[in-house]
Amino acid sequence: MDPSNAGSSSTGPSSRWNPTKEQLSLLESLYEQGIRTPSAEQIQSITKRLQAYGHIEGKNVFYWFQNHKARQRQKQKMDQQQMMMCGAVSSNNALNNVVAVNNLNNVDNAAADGAYFNRFYYHSPPPISPSGVAAVAGCALPLLPGPHSGKSSHNQILIFI
Amino acid sequence: MDPSNAGSSSTGPSSRWNPTKEQLSLLESLYEQGIRTPSAEQIQSITKRLQAYGHIEGKNVFYWFQNHKARQRQKQKMDQQQMMMCGAVSSNNALNNVVAVNNLNNVDNAAADGAYFNRFYYHSPPPISPSGVAAVAGCALPLLPGPHSGKSSHNQILIFI
DNA sequence: GCAAATTAATGATTTATTCAAG
DNA sequence: CTTGAATAAATCATTAATTTGC
């Protein structure tokens, strides 16, 4: 029952995030605009916008971009292989795995994503306080590792979940 | 000048963490006790203990365990290869690269590390508020993604830097 | 003895692979 | 079978050892 547990309802466990149509649409749109590894600020912004369409957290946006980038890449690679063994396709190609990707737009501008980032959060083992803090908890700290001089290293961090 | 900028002195920028003898010692000890991918709580605890010996953050502990685990693994692999082409060692083996690892204790109990984790934090692009929050900022949130029922998924998170 | 130049270790980042929910 | 999530492997970058010429 209750198959429509899309977002933050009470009954729907849904251990993993499931993007709504709108969310996915916006994400893909951003991806095609060239965003590959969004910065923290970008992710925060995106997340906020997507929260209008349902429950979502920063890490979902993060993972989505990671996976999408990787899988677009391997899709293209597979297409190249298919291109190699082109011609002479045998009989029933209708039952081929649904890998009918139409990569007309090679959104592969390999450069231009000089976005450096890093990640770092932890699950604890299963049994922890079962309270119910539902929403997203943002935790932004100004800077943390190197309050030293300024050896040009990039150190500012910003956490969010 | 000032060659002794080991830890949190003012002059030593040192863009990356450098473990002190004591820190390294404790870390290795814990590793040999079987800890391979410590949980958030463990990392917090370890970090606090190590902070007695100098500046260190949770992410350093995290990275240390990742790297150490991986590199122990590949050391053992290399040793296995050496074992394969054993016998008949040619002449001057004294000048061999200093890879004289004495892996008497194979700390490789491959199972028993059902520790799951994840990471997730971001740098922002270089120019950010140049204040000077020096110390470690802990940010522990009870749980965040799934306040839903309890589909056995492990969801509790806990951030720290 | 000491620095500049090289090499080896290792901290930090990025990419690829695997697991599992839907 | 798709894809979000989690883990491992590969890579990059910086620091410490070590070597070398003076």
Side-chain angles (χ1 to χ4, degrees):
Chain A
M1 293 125 181
D2 185 41
S4 65
N5 58 17
S8 57
S9 255
S10 53
T11 53
S14 79
S15 65
R16 81 181 201 187
W17 165 67
N18 205 20
T20 69
K21 267 287 173 60
E22 294 97 342
Q23 286 175 339
L24 197 59
S25 176
L26 178 49
L27 285 170
E28 281 168 349
S29 153
L30 291 173
Y31 186 87
E32 287 181 12
Q33 281 177 30
I35 297 181
R36 296 230 275 162
T37 50
S39 74
E41 296 167 353
Q42 286 177 307
I43 289 197
Q44 269 199 139
S45 164
I46 295 169
T47 303
K48 279 211 169 174
R49 283 173 66 185
L50 291 178
Q51 278 172 349
Y53 305 113
H55 178 246
I56 187 175
E57 311 164 30
K59 70 169 186 174
N60 303 126
V61 176
F62 167 74
Y63 280 135
W64 188 90
F65 274 95
Q66 283 239 124
N67 283 320
H68 196 67
K69 175 171 66 173
R71 279 160 183 159
Q72 288 293 110
R73 202 180 285 156
Q74 74 185 20
K75 253 180 189 173
Q76 277 200 189
K77 212 185 287 178
M78 268 177 61
D79 284 2
Q80 276 188 5
Q81 282 190 359
Q82 279 197 358
M83 226 149 78
M84 272 179 163
M85 57 177 180
C86 55
V89 182
S90 67
S91 51
N92 49 1
N93 56 1
L95 271 181
N96 275 340
N97 284 334
V98 199
V99 196
V101 270
N102 51 352
N103 64 341
L104 305 172
N105 48 353
N106 56 353
V107 226
D108 193 17
N109 38 8
D113 77 307
Y116 28 147
F117 70 100
N118 195 348
R119 45 260 203 266
F120 195 49
Y121 87 11
Y122 275 83
H123 298 204
S124 332
I128 290 199
S129 68
S131 57
V133 183
V136 173
C139 169
L141 30 158
L143 63 72
L144 62 92
H148 308 298
S149 69
K151 202 48 170 309
S152 82
S153 63
H154 44 288
N155 268 332
Q156 286 78 4
I157 317 195
L158 181 139
I159 321 178
F160 64 91
I161 294 271
Chain B
M1 296 123 179
D2 184 43
S4 65
N5 58 15
S8 56
S9 254
S10 54
T11 53
S14 78
S15 68
R16 81 180 200 186
W17 166 67
N18 207 18
T20 70
K21 266 289 171 62
E22 295 97 341
Q23 287 173 337
L24 197 60
S25 176
L26 178 49
L27 284 169
E28 281 168 349
S29 152
L30 290 172
Y31 186 86
E32 286 181 13
Q33 282 178 29
I35 297 181
R36 296 231 274 163
T37 49
S39 73
E41 295 166 354
Q42 286 176 307
I43 290 198
Q44 268 199 141
S45 164
I46 294 168
T47 303
K48 280 210 167 173
R49 285 173 65 185
L50 292 178
Q51 279 172 347
Y53 305 112
H55 177 246
I56 187 176
E57 311 164 31
K59 69 169 186 174
N60 303 126
V61 176
F62 166 74
Y63 284 137
W64 189 90
F65 274 95
Q66 282 239 126
N67 282 320
H68 196 67
K69 176 171 65 175
R71 279 161 183 159
Q72 288 293 112
R73 202 180 283 156
Q74 76 185 20
K75 250 180 190 172
Q76 278 201 188
K77 212 185 289 179
M78 265 178 61
D79 284 2
Q80 278 188 4
Q81 281 190 0
Q82 279 197 358
M83 225 150 79
M84 272 179 162
M85 58 178 180
C86 57
V89 182
S90 67
S91 49
N92 49 2
N93 56 2
L95 273 181
N96 274 340
N97 284 335
V98 198
V99 196
V101 270
N102 50 353
N103 63 342
L104 306 170
N105 48 354
N106 55 353
V107 227
D108 192 18
N109 37 10
D113 78 303
Y116 24 149
F117 70 101
N118 195 349
R119 44 252 203 269
F120 194 49
Y121 85 18
Y122 274 78
H123 298 204
S124 333
I128 290 200
S129 68
S131 58
V133 183
V136 173
C139 171
L141 30 159
L143 64 72
L144 62 90
H148 307 298
S149 71
K151 201 50 168 305
S152 83
S153 63
H154 44 287
N155 268 332
Q156 286 77 6
I157 318 196
L158 181 137
I159 320 180
F160 64 89
I161 292 272

